Amino acid sequence: MAVTLPTVYSPKEIEERWSRWWLERKFFHTAPDSREPFTIVIPPPNITGALHMGHGLNNTYQDILTRWRRMEGYNTLWLPGTDHAGIATQNVVEKELAKEGLTRQAVGREEFVRRVWRWKEEYGGTIVDQLKRMGCSSDWDRERFTLDEGLSRAVREVFVRLFEEGLIYRGQYIVNWCPRCGTALSDDEVEHDEKQGSLWYVKYPIKGGGGHVTVATTRPETMLGDTAVAVNPGDARYRDVLGKTLVLPVIGREMPIIADEFVDLRFGTGAVKVTPAHDPNDFEIARRHGLPLVVVIGADGKMTEEAGEYRGLDRFECRKRLVKRLEAEGLIEKVEPYTHSVGHCYRCETAIEPYVSDQWFVRMKELAAPAIEAANEGRVHFHPERWKRVFLSWLENVRDWCISRQLWWGHRIPAWYCDACGEVFAARTDPAACPKCGSKKIRQDEDVLDTWFSSALWPFSTLGWPDETKDLEYYYPTDVLVTDRGIIFFWVARMVMMGLKFRGEVPFDDVYINATVLDQDGRKMSKSLGNGIDPIDIIGQYGADAMRFSLVLLTAEGQDVKLSPTRFEMGRNFANKLWNAARFALMNLEDAKDLPALKPEDLAFEDRWILGETSRAIEELTAALEGYHFHAAGHVVYRYAWNSLCDWYLEAIKGRLYGARPADKRVAQKVLASALDALLRMLHPFAPFITEELWQHLNELVPERGVFAARRAEESVVRAAWPKSTWFPRDAEAEGAMPLATDLVRAVRNIRSKLGLGERTEVDAIVTGENAGALEVIRRHEHFIKDLGRVKNLTAGTGLSKPPACASEVVSGLDVYVPLAGLIDVGEEKARLSARIEKVEKGLKGAEAKLSNASFVERAPAEIVERERERRAELAAEVDKLRSNLADLGR
Ligand SMILES: [Zn+2]
Ligand SMILES: [Zn+2]
């Protein structure tokens, strides 16, 4: 049978072909059965998104776990899907409308939502296609969407139940408002930056004369909405003015000076303006003191009617003009530079405006308590463990969650208002009349729910809840969640709360928090910086396998990973090495069908060793995966493939494969096929495509594998059994002897390269020293050492003398001598080395002279001086090495 493996590895063709076949054969599809389940739900990417390297890493890990557990025999479900991404998607479609000169208000709610759905159908699948290209083995027949019918039912059920239990309420509160997006945001959706601003000291005159009180503010425009000035009750500076009335400049509003414990004596002048409608703390002060609310900044970020002459102006423009006027009137006492934290919308980066409005909230304290308990009792584990603290501290300090969004794209809040009797009620199906008074004059709330409200239900809503389905019973709770630290609050914590509330069980046993992907300078990859690496580009250039395996190898556990496109060469080089090695192996397995099973005594030293290495690699790899140590796991496979199998074993058996003794050849073939089989199984979760390609070729040539007993190979490596360490015998003698044997081979190779001899030049070697045991090992495995070290005569014994002209090395306390007689003309080599030493020393002296010249060191550019220093060090090292080589040649 001829081997059809092309000489060059071309991932594109391979990956497309196997991807198609896997999907056709529905290898990733699963349904409940008698096996034990293993379940992962994907963190649903936004439909607006394209795959970025963070997804690349996150989904590689999920696929490794999925493929590995599938091979282990679990009924494995990796449930895929996407998120409707309220604000983000609405923004995209609004931008499209703007191109047509339209707004969403102009087209109306129904038409707008229809257009978003159309956009979703057309573009929303991009990221799913990209995940498929990466090789993600999700059950694509089960793909879900947070706005699909089933999930919408789950959302509605949860809302109504929480409403009925009083855990959802509506109220007027100060919320984080994005004037650009025109919606409220939850506390976690606000990103805070330190900004260099100013602190204005503004004088408020006391009514009826008698001076003024000065207040300090970073946002002068909000003063138009002031309804009081507050001081700390213990502040002696203001004892006399307490209870007096102030007149608000520009507006002329009269307002009291009040005392409140909340006021910090050390901030500004100790007297603070109170703007209840535009500051969350002032809102609370106003509640305590019964102060009125005056809204001066509207939902659009522009000044309202209440702002008098500034009405209609943008808030920042108003600030400029107002400050000018106050200055002209002598009401600005001073201005100080001031660094303070400014909140920004996480979607559009517009400065957040605290805004008073009617919103819906979830009471979090009651829901958080069981989640805290679950983490403390170890029912949900974090990897790395430090993230448990982050999770707990958020839950312990959790505030009520604002869940209403003033958007059109999302789950519309299932709450109605009765205009006849004022009843507010929630309903599972759209009501026709008010349940209290029967009036038909009812209207539904206009807002939609925060996107995270639906994703909080993801682990059970995707399995059929609120129905008690077979899937739900079988696959829930899921086993592990692999996600990003950025959404521990947004998502992980809320899923734990909702899972406990509605299923009585945590949604997953383990949470693996993956590293953050940074650029080569350690900055976060972002669209605005333009420093991202597109996974699709990397797949196009190196292949999906190379991308996946590089990510695993480069990402050290618990650390963020710095990436540049060239770093993916690591995975590409590995794939090439594997390809070439497998090609060599397959060419030598063409006549290896139906080889008889082996007996232990048939095995050569290197066979016993590689089988033991295989067993050990399987054991280490499995343990690493069980502990979510992906980096360690990747390196086990890498070392096994590259060092053990390619560099040593394949080299060691070449003689037998090419040799004249068929019996020896057959043993080598049998062991080789088994080792390659094990490698493909071990590597498959990391590099699914290349392993499938090689698996199929191996299946053609050697369908029966196994060393001592025949094992029929599975039709696809996707469905192959995970290898067991007990499939392969361990051999203590080979394991103990191999390090010495390979060290000795390396020593002889070093000498050869030191002498400038070709790799194929045969040499003699003498090994001597006190360690009789080690010398015995060397004699026993003389054949291996001679073969790989290209040693013609190997002499090993105690007390052997050093030949007159020889090169030497030391291995495990033993001296290794390679006599030079017959290899090189010693006299000529000595002359060559001496001449070379003279020349290099001359250069060294020149560099030293330059560097001892003060004017050069002081005047030349720093990098030139540095280069000269490096040159001096290099030349000095070369002289040392040449001298030592010369000394080896003897007197
Ligand atoms: Zn925004
Ligand atoms: Zn009513």
Side-chain angles (χ1 to χ4, degrees), residues 418 420-421 423 434 436-437 439:
C418 173
C421 74
E423 177 74 349
C434 170
K436 197 174 168 196
C437 73
S439 165

Side-chain angles (χ1 to χ4, degrees), residues 161-162 165 167 367 496-504:
R161 276 206 217 169
L162 292 176
E165 289 179 36
L167 289 170
L367 293 171
V496 174
M497 286 187 266
M498 291 300 192
L500 285 163
K501 172 76 184 164
F502 291 95
R503 296 301 306 160

Side-chain angles (χ1 to χ4, degrees), residues 105-175:
Q105 289 80 8
V107 299
R109 185 169 192 148
E110 213 172 295
E111 168 63 11
F112 180 75
V113 170
R114 205 182 56 77
R115 284 195 185 223
V116 186
W117 275 109
R118 205 172 65 195
W119 183 91
K120 191 251 170 193
E121 296 314 324
E122 203 165 330
Y123 305 106
T126 307
I127 199 152
V128 166
D129 293 339
Q130 292 176 325
L131 289 171
K132 287 178 185 167
R133 264 194 85 180
M134 261 187 71
C136 292
S137 66
S138 299
D139 184 350
W140 296 107
D141 296 329
R142 290 175 180 268
E143 190 187 328
R144 300 304 296 269
F145 178 48
T146 46
L147 259 185
D148 69 23
E149 215 183 301
L151 268 59
S152 299
R153 242 181 85 221
V155 163
R156 199 141 168 178
E157 179 65 29
V158 165
F159 185 95
V160 175
R161 276 206 217 169
L162 292 176
F163 180 85
E164 286 171 353
E165 289 179 36
L167 289 170
I168 280 184
Y169 63 93
R170 188 168 185 266
Q172 199 181 51
Y173 278 91
I174 278 255
V175 293

Side-chain angles (χ1 to χ4, degrees), residues 681-701:
R681 291 174 200 259
M682 284 191 270
L683 183 62
H684 178 68
F686 302 87
F689 297 104
I690 191 171
T691 48
E692 182 73 279
E693 174 75 12
L694 298 175
W695 181 268
Q696 298 297 336
H697 285 286
L698 186 60
N699 275 6
E700 260 178 60
L701 297 174

